[in-house]
Amino acid sequence: MTTPATENPPAPAAIAPPVNPASRLAALEEAILPVVVALLVAAIVGDVLILSFGQNPGTVYRLLFEGTWGNAYGFGQVLYKTTTLTFTGLAVAVGLRAGLFNIGAESQLAAGGFAAALVGLILPPGLPALVTLPVYLVAAAIGGGLVGGVPGVLKARFGAHEVITTIMLNFIVLALLNYLTAAHLKVEASLHTEEIHAGGLPRLSSYIAAFHGSAANVVLFIALLAVVLTWWFLFRTRRGFELRATGLQPAAAEYGGVDVRSVWWRAMVLSGALAGIGGLNFVLGYKHYYEDAFATGAGFLGIAVAIVGRNNPIGVLLAAFVFATISQGGLAVNAVVPKQMVDVLQAVVIIAVAASVPEVRRMLRKGDR
Amino acid sequence: MIIFGFLAQTLRIVIPYIFAASGGVISERSGLIAIGLEGYMLTGAFCAALASYYSGSPWIGLIGAAAGGIAIALLYAVTAIRFRADQVVVGIAINLLAVGMTRFFLRLTFHSSANSPRVPGFGAEQSGTGVASLASNPLIWMGIAAVALVAWMLYRTPFGLRIRAVGEHPVAATSVGIRVGRIRYLAAALSGMLAGLGGAYLALDQHQFSAEMTAGRGFIALAAVIFGRWDPVRAALACLLFAAADALQIQLQGAQAIPSQFVEMIPYALTIIALAGVVGRATPPAALGKVAE
């Protein structure tokens, strides 16, 4: 913010440098190996937990598979969870690309959903979704963007570490939303708002009957669009290039004419806005009201999704699908082993990926020499 | 009498914070980010209930809590030190792991998804606020002693000097023969032990473990570490401030003067203000979160 803009900032000529196939293969190897290792470790831990409960791992894994990909309802639920996780994963990934760790996706997601619900309660009922959707998108993006922007500005202006400020802001924002819902907006004997009648979004089951009962809805397509747009922004635009340059080497980026501080707060606003739009999945696509604590866990899992997806939007989408499957799988096996088993497995995957990324990188480098 | 109730309430609330924050100070001063305090506490609470239940003695419960806290903190330390994993990522995963593990083993050992049966604890009354029951709880005294011990260790012993050295400048520490990794492992174990005892206080005070019973206390302790600028005594005072706000809110519950949610925000808001440097900048240890080569 304080750095004056240079007259002719050097054009990022090499936005997409030509990559030779060998190094692309190595990059792919570096991205995929840790995930393979992590899934193996998770499978072993899963076996131990299942055996400790006196069950047969094979049976449990078959149940898990049947309850997620094996029938349309389960698959619909996986897609629903994939949608939210894609948004929070993209949010965290955009932050990490700028060198910022956004732990606040949880409250940004909630704030986005809350803002959309507020707007929905004001809009006249019966408006078609085509008219209301842009309004909802903007509202959710502003809600999430505001919550993301605060730590961004604190970082840019005061150098306050965003890890701590986003954690603290999670608690503050969630307490505030809880207060607003409980004290002013709730339907009697609940913790959710009145139902929204202005342009709710259709579920997938209204197109494909087999998805009947599952929460999957058209916000899924907004998530896919967000993946493409985020990828395009990061790798094909100048602002995206500046953002990545800042994340790799802030000092070098600054030297190259990038206003690092504005990149920081802008990245946090964008990150928060992405998480905020994810709130539409629950509020407009599923329940048609805002409910307190609907976002619980989705923000933290967004961190896992971004890490496993290696901060690449396409990787984020795949990782979101994997984590959504594990989440839904917990419900599918709950009758046989406690569903908390999958919480353990998700944590194990995160730890194993985080621990094996530097290791794999070193091994591959050593192999090059 | 109201004042008395308020003080007793504050003391009850502050003890788990103090334990965890003391552990957090040690961990962060050695260069290891203490995001996992919540997970250490939860693990400690569960292990305390488990050990106390099977042994019939809350003292064995304490040993169990310390062991559980050390174990999960060492898992964090191994990934962060040996495998050079990102500390923030692993720290958050450790918290998720603790939630999942304690709930899984709650169902495995006690066949419940909500809470354990009643376990032997300190003090006869369940959540009693009487002075007698407070004074008879050894964890109160241990918590207060922990602050003094940690302060003494950090500033008056060679080991404390080493912890501060590896947290500020690991390369310089290495060059004078300090084994950075070993010091950090020890610091992690100590922080896990202390936070685990903080969790044990919760379980033994309520005579049972209930799922996710730490309810964000580890993060309040982390806030206290930062608000207290990484000093054990100041962190304990921050805990006291946060606990007093909490106790005040409980006392005022009937009056409905301020919505409880706003009181909940106080520790977090103060920490953000401290980080933004409005009243003197809070500067973390220089090598916090960095990998030592």
Side-chain angles (χ1 to χ4, degrees), chain A residues 285-366:
Chain A
Y286 177 29
K287 289 286 191 183
H288 304 277
Y289 52 67
Y290 174 85
E291 184 164 25
D292 194 49
F294 84 86
T296 304
F300 283 131
L301 271 189
I303 297 167
V305 167
I307 300 297
V308 173
R310 306 306 303 279
N311 301 331
N312 180 308
I314 317 279
V316 162
L317 181 64
L318 296 175
F321 184 70
V322 170
F323 276 95
T325 302
I326 303 179
S327 284
Q328 180 62 23
L331 301 176
V333 302
N334 195 32
V336 188
V337 288
K339 64 172 184 286
Q340 285 79 22
M341 181 186 90
V342 305
D343 297 341
V344 176
L345 296 189
Q346 284 173 337
V348 168
V349 169
I350 304 170
I351 294 172
V353 168
S356 55
V357 163
E359 201 75 359
V360 164
R361 193 172 295 154
R362 267 200 305 280
M363 269 166 41
L364 291 176
R365 300 265 153 83
K366 215 177 273 170

Side-chain angles (χ1 to χ4, degrees), chain A residues 53 158 178 334 340 354 362, chain B residues 103 107-108 261 276 281:
Chain A
F53 220 75
F158 302 108
N178 173 274
N334 195 32
Q340 285 79 22
R362 267 200 305 280
Chain B
R103 297 195 78 148
R107 269 189 64 179
L108 185 64
Q261 291 94 337
R281 166 69 51 86

Side-chain angles (χ1 to χ4, degrees), chain A residues 49 52-53 101 103 154 158 164 168 171 175-176 178-179 307 334 338 340 344 347 350-351 354-355 358-359 362, chain B residues 79 82-85 88-89 92-93 97 100-101 103-104 107-108 219 226 259 261-262 265 268 272 275-276 281:
Chain A
L49 292 181
S52 78
F53 220 75
F101 218 133
I103 320 268
L154 287 173
F158 302 108
I164 305 298
M168 301 297 146
F171 288 103
L176 182 68
N178 173 274
Y179 166 75
I307 300 297
N334 195 32
Q340 285 79 22
V344 176
I350 304 170
I351 294 172
E359 201 75 359
R362 267 200 305 280
Chain B
T79 54
R82 164 66 184 83
F83 291 99
R84 300 161 196 223
V88 176
V89 176
I92 284 164
L97 183 71
M101 286 288 247
R103 297 195 78 148
F104 184 88
R107 269 189 64 179
L108 185 64
F219 287 107
I226 297 158
Q261 291 94 337
F262 289 95
M265 292 177 198
Y268 312 114
I272 290 182
L275 272 177
R281 166 69 51 86

Side-chain angles (χ1 to χ4, degrees), chain A:
Chain A
M1 267 189 289
T2 47
T3 339
T6 39
E7 293 235 328
N8 283 312
I15 282 181
V19 188
N20 71 33
S23 80
R24 179 162 280 175
L25 189 71
L28 200 65
E29 215 174 343
E30 195 180 311
I32 287 173
L33 261 180
V35 180
V36 174
V37 171
L39 290 176
L40 275 176
V41 174
I44 294 167
V45 173
D47 284 354
V48 172
L49 292 181
I50 292 165
L51 289 171
S52 78
F53 220 75
Q55 297 292 339
N56 178 356
T59 319
V60 173
Y61 287 132
R62 195 173 321 116
L63 268 180
L64 195 151
F65 181 77
E66 281 167 6
T68 52
W69 302 350
N71 67 75
Y73 167 76
F75 195 69
Q77 289 300 93
V78 170
L79 291 181
Y80 170 73
K81 292 182 175 180
T82 304
T83 307
T84 305
L85 289 181
T86 301
F87 279 111
T88 54
L90 285 177
V92 178
V94 164
L96 283 173
R97 285 278 178 184
L100 300 171
F101 218 133
N102 179 11
I103 320 268
E106 193 108 357
S107 57
Q108 291 147 14
L109 176 69
F114 186 80
L118 278 189
V119 169
L121 291 171
I122 296 166
L123 284 175
L127 278 180
L130 218 58
V131 179
T132 53
L133 185 59
V135 183
Y136 284 130
L137 277 172
V138 170
I142 290 177
L146 273 179
V147 176
V150 170
V153 170
L154 287 173
K155 166 97 178 175
R157 179 76 183 75
F158 302 108
H161 203 301
E162 78 285 354
V163 167
I164 305 298
T165 52
T166 48
I167 290 177
M168 301 297 146
L169 217 57
N170 270 343
F171 288 103
I172 294 175
V173 170
L174 294 174
L176 182 68
L177 295 180
N178 173 274
Y179 166 75
L180 290 173
T181 311
H184 297 295
L185 291 165
K186 70 163 190 249
V187 174
E188 208 50 54
S190 75
L191 263 179
H192 61 75
T193 63
E194 302 273 352
E195 197 160 323
I196 298 163
H197 295 289
L201 297 171
R203 292 192 184 181
L204 293 188
S205 54
S206 52
Y207 307 113
I208 303 164
F211 281 131
H212 183 74
S214 84
N217 59 76
V218 296
V219 178
L220 172 66
F221 300 112
I222 303 178
L224 295 177
L225 192 66
V227 168
V228 175
L229 288 178
T230 307
W231 180 87
W232 185 78
F233 167 75
L234 283 176
F235 298 104
R236 287 291 179 271
T237 69
R238 184 203 161 130
R239 288 235 187 265
F241 176 80
E242 291 185 350
L243 186 148
R244 287 184 296 124
T246 302
L248 287 173
Q249 270 293 350
E254 185 95 58
Y255 186 73
V258 176
D259 183 352
V260 167
R261 284 157 192 271
S262 355
V263 169
W264 278 340
W265 72 260
R266 284 206 198 103
M268 283 304 293
V269 169
L270 175 62
S271 176
L274 279 166
I277 294 172
L280 296 182
N281 192 35
F282 177 90
V283 171
L284 283 183
Y286 177 29
K287 289 286 191 183
H288 304 277
Y289 52 67
Y290 174 85
E291 184 164 25
D292 194 49
F294 84 86
T296 304
F300 283 131
L301 271 189
I303 297 167
V305 167
I307 300 297
V308 173
R310 306 306 303 279
N311 301 331
N312 180 308
I314 317 279
V316 162
L317 181 64
L318 296 175
F321 184 70
V322 170
F323 276 95
T325 302
I326 303 179
S327 284
Q328 180 62 23
L331 301 176
V333 302
N334 195 32
V336 188
V337 288
K339 64 172 184 286
Q340 285 79 22
M341 181 186 90
V342 305
D343 297 341
V344 176
L345 296 189
Q346 284 173 337
V348 168
V349 169
I350 304 170
I351 294 172
V353 168
S356 55
V357 163
E359 201 75 359
V360 164
R361 193 172 295 154
R362 267 200 305 280
M363 269 166 41
L364 291 176
R365 300 265 153 83
K366 215 177 273 170
D368 282 349
R369 270 186 237 126

